[in-house]
Amino acid sequence: MTCDLTHDTHLHQEDLLPSDRVISVVGLGYVGLPVAVAFGKVRRTIGFDINRARIDELREGRDHTGEVDAADLTEADILFTNRIEDLKLADFHIVAVPTPIDRANQPDLSLMHRASETVGKALKPGDVVVYESTVYPGVTEEECLPILERVSGLKGGVDFKVGYSPERINPGDREHTFTRIKKVVSGQDAETLEVVAQVYGSVVTAGVYRASSIKVAEAAKVIENTQRDLNIALMNELALIFDRMGIDTGEVLAAAGSKWNFLNFKPGLVGGHCIGVDPYYLTHKAEKIGYIPQVILAGRRINDGMGKFVAQRAVKEIIKAGHHVLGSYVTVLGLTFKENCPDLRNSKVIDIVKELKDYGVEVQVCDPAADPEEARREYGIEILQISQLKPAVAVVVAVAHREYQKLTAADLASLMGMNPVLIDVKGLFDREQMSGAGIRVWKL
């Protein structure tokens, strides 16, 4: 739908009720698009992205990320644009751009800075700017606010206000969607907090939580995934220990899980745009203020090393099965960072692939969810169809896509030759059934 934004929206903050606000969402990726669609169903919304191809795709009613259905895109009243001039029609700007890390695991805020410059060019008195991107405490007020002021020529806290409301989007999760997750909101003063709370509260049915300050909201976001990262790191370290003991980690966790207060975390590859990234934002800030966060960094080291460990164990199992490693084919099923989701950002499966290649293995990758062009561009990997795979000495099931969960022992055996080896990273398959089909199994 095309929205009518021809009337004058150049009003001062005191003249605008939350229900009158025209929303803009800057950044239409996995986070921004669901936010824009939710607001677009109840009010005029501007969806802004610098990627022209993304704008064209959304105008045609398609979302390659799979986060929003075509019917929802049609229902939402959104003007999709890459023109800064169109942002001036809005008075409540939501910034939802990625905040990755660089090769040295340092925060990369370049997209936040660029987005702030973009919004700054569209700012007018009475506007509110809310950031959703994951950051360390202080970024909104100490880095982004000065950029908004410099570009707009306006005074923050006087002419316009800022807030922070951390994203909690879980890619591929159709149950915990934007409107169904309680939203943490914050503002630079009490008045702004109420405006931000009421605007988000108009679409988030799960309700809002008012944080006492922007820095508290920023910190809350970054520790949500840090906590999860550390819990998984503990499971991964246990898996490393139990593997040396010859004990099945899954069986140990099942036994321990019979206690009512045992936390249900499992070992695995920790990638993606949140859990594998956010802790580095917190540790970066901690180090800047003179504290070395030992526990968080230790957990990160363990999780970052799991792909290499899986590959090394695969090589050992291949040798035990009587195969040569050099020149042998190994099939890796799954490349995205999580199941049933096309998101390839910071996938740790690539660590398995690289380590296997270092051993001289011919690696072939198959993934029904991944975009072949993106895989080629980001990782230099050619995604193959099942029918294109050559017989392998081993299959590494790295991602629990629904298509892979349906595989039988016969299906897996058909992908391999004599003395087949299955590396079951996600613990999807029954060991006895696989062994009954003559498949040697190793589980993380």
Side-chain angles (χ1 to χ4, degrees):
M1 296 174 64
T2 302
C3 49
D4 178 13
L5 295 168
T6 57
H7 68 283
D8 181 22
T9 58
H10 291 221
L11 302 175
H12 290 280
Q13 183 162 314
E14 59 267 22
D15 299 320
L16 284 169
L17 297 173
S19 59
D20 297 325
R21 292 281 180 178
V22 177
I23 309 297
S24 83
V25 179
V26 178
L28 299 175
Y30 285 87
V31 172
L33 183 61
V35 173
V37 168
F39 279 110
K41 289 184 177 182
V42 299
R43 67 177 76 209
R44 297 181 301 278
T45 302
I46 313 294
F48 180 93
D49 201 289
I50 60 173
N51 186 338
R52 181 56 188 265
R54 178 63 165 162
I55 294 299
D56 291 342
E57 170 188 83
L58 294 173
R59 285 175 176 172
E60 295 171 1
R62 296 180 294 107
D63 170 30
H64 77 272
T65 70
E67 291 300 303
V68 176
D69 295 330
D72 289 321
L73 278 176
T74 301
E75 182 182 349
D77 190 10
I78 306 174
L79 172 63
F80 291 114
T81 182
N82 63 344
R83 297 177 66 248
I84 294 177
E85 197 67 24
D86 292 329
L87 282 179
K88 296 179 180 179
L89 299 168
D91 45 62
F92 191 98
H93 306 279
I94 298 173
V95 178
V97 296
T99 46
I101 52 176
D102 61 21
R103 293 187 176 183
N105 293 328
Q106 295 299 303
D108 179 1
L109 295 172
S110 59
L111 294 177
M112 286 278 282
H113 293 164
R114 288 177 60 187
S116 298
E117 291 175 351
T118 297
V119 173
K121 294 175 183 177
L123 272 186
K124 51 192 180 301
D127 283 6
V128 176
V129 183
V130 178
Y131 290 88
E132 288 214 2
S133 307
T134 301
V135 294
Y136 51 80
V139 168
T140 299
E141 295 163 292
E142 297 167 12
E143 297 206 29
C144 296
L145 179 57
I147 295 174
L148 294 172
E149 291 179 323
R150 172 175 55 81
V151 176
S152 69
L154 301 175
K155 180 65 175 175
V158 178
D159 300 316
F160 69 92
K161 303 293 182 69
V162 297
Y164 182 79
S165 181
E167 62 92 357
R168 282 175 164 173
I169 297 292
N170 185 25
D173 188 339
R174 292 306 180 93
E175 179 181 354
H176 302 97
T177 57
F178 170 68
T179 61
R180 297 175 183 173
I181 306 172
K182 180 167 284 192
K183 201 81 169 77
V184 174
V185 296
S186 65
Q188 66 183 127
D189 54 39
E191 179 187 28
T192 307
L193 174 59
E194 285 309 307
V195 171
V196 174
Q198 290 181 48
V199 168
Y200 276 106
S202 68
V203 292
V204 178
T205 56
V208 299
Y209 178 92
R210 292 167 173 81
S212 60
S213 69
I214 288 177
K215 287 184 179 179
V216 166
E218 290 170 329
K221 167 58 182 174
V222 81
I223 72 164
E224 288 175 11
N225 287 322
T226 299
Q227 182 188 66
R228 183 165 175 78
D229 188 46
L230 284 171
N231 277 301
I232 298 173
L234 173 60
M235 297 302 106
N236 278 335
E237 188 164 55
L238 292 175
L240 297 175
I241 295 170
F242 295 144
D243 182 70
R244 295 190 177 197
M245 295 181 178
I247 302 174
D248 188 310
T249 304
E251 293 178 5
V252 174
L253 295 179
S258 63
K259 188 166 186 264
W260 78 92
N261 61 351
F262 186 80
L263 301 180
N264 185 30
F265 287 92
K266 293 180 173 61
L269 305 177
V270 184
H273 69 296
C274 284
I275 300 178
V277 172
D278 294 358
Y280 286 121
Y281 274 76
L282 183 57
T283 58
H284 170 79
K285 182 65 174 181
E287 290 171 347
K288 285 182 68 175
I289 60 175
Y291 180 78
I292 306 300
Q294 300 179 50
V295 174
I296 299 173
L297 288 175
R300 281 280 74 235
R301 285 192 295 272
I302 291 170
N303 287 343
D304 278 347
M306 292 308 292
K308 184 175 183 179
F309 168 72
V310 169
Q312 291 173 345
R313 289 300 281 113
V315 168
K316 289 182 180 180
E317 294 301 317
I318 290 169
I319 293 172
K320 288 179 182 178
H323 299 292
H324 293 292
V325 173
L326 185 63
S328 292
Y329 280 89
V330 171
T331 295
V332 175
L333 298 182
L335 182 61
T336 62
F337 93 90
K338 67 178 296 187
E339 64 273 9
N340 309 319
C341 174
D343 197 346
L344 286 169
R345 289 176 296 174
N346 195 35
S347 172
K348 293 303 179 182
V349 180
I350 192 65
D351 294 345
I352 298 176
V353 174
K354 288 179 177 178
E355 186 71 9
L356 288 173
K357 286 184 175 181
D358 282 348
Y359 278 95
V361 171
E362 295 290 336
V363 182
Q364 46 191 2
V365 179
C366 179
D367 192 314
D371 179 352
E373 177 55 36
E374 185 179 358
R376 190 179 301 113
R377 182 177 65 253
E378 295 296 323
Y379 300 117
I381 287 180
E382 295 293 329
I383 299 291
L384 303 177
Q385 302 296 318
I386 286 281
S387 60
Q388 297 175 301
L389 296 173
K390 296 180 179 180
V393 297
V395 168
V396 180
V397 181
V399 185
H401 290 314
R402 59 178 64 91
E403 292 88 346
Y404 299 154
Q405 294 184 38
K406 299 175 183 177
L407 294 175
T408 64
D411 293 330
L412 290 165
S414 70
L415 301 177
M416 297 178 276
M418 297 292 293
N419 302 324
V421 175
L422 173 63
I423 306 301
D424 187 6
V425 177
K426 301 297 292 186
L428 296 180
F429 305 104
D430 182 86
R431 187 185 297 275
E432 291 187 6
Q433 290 181 1
M434 295 298 120
S435 297
I439 300 175
R440 185 183 185 94
V441 180
W442 178 86
K443 293 187 177 187
L444 179 60

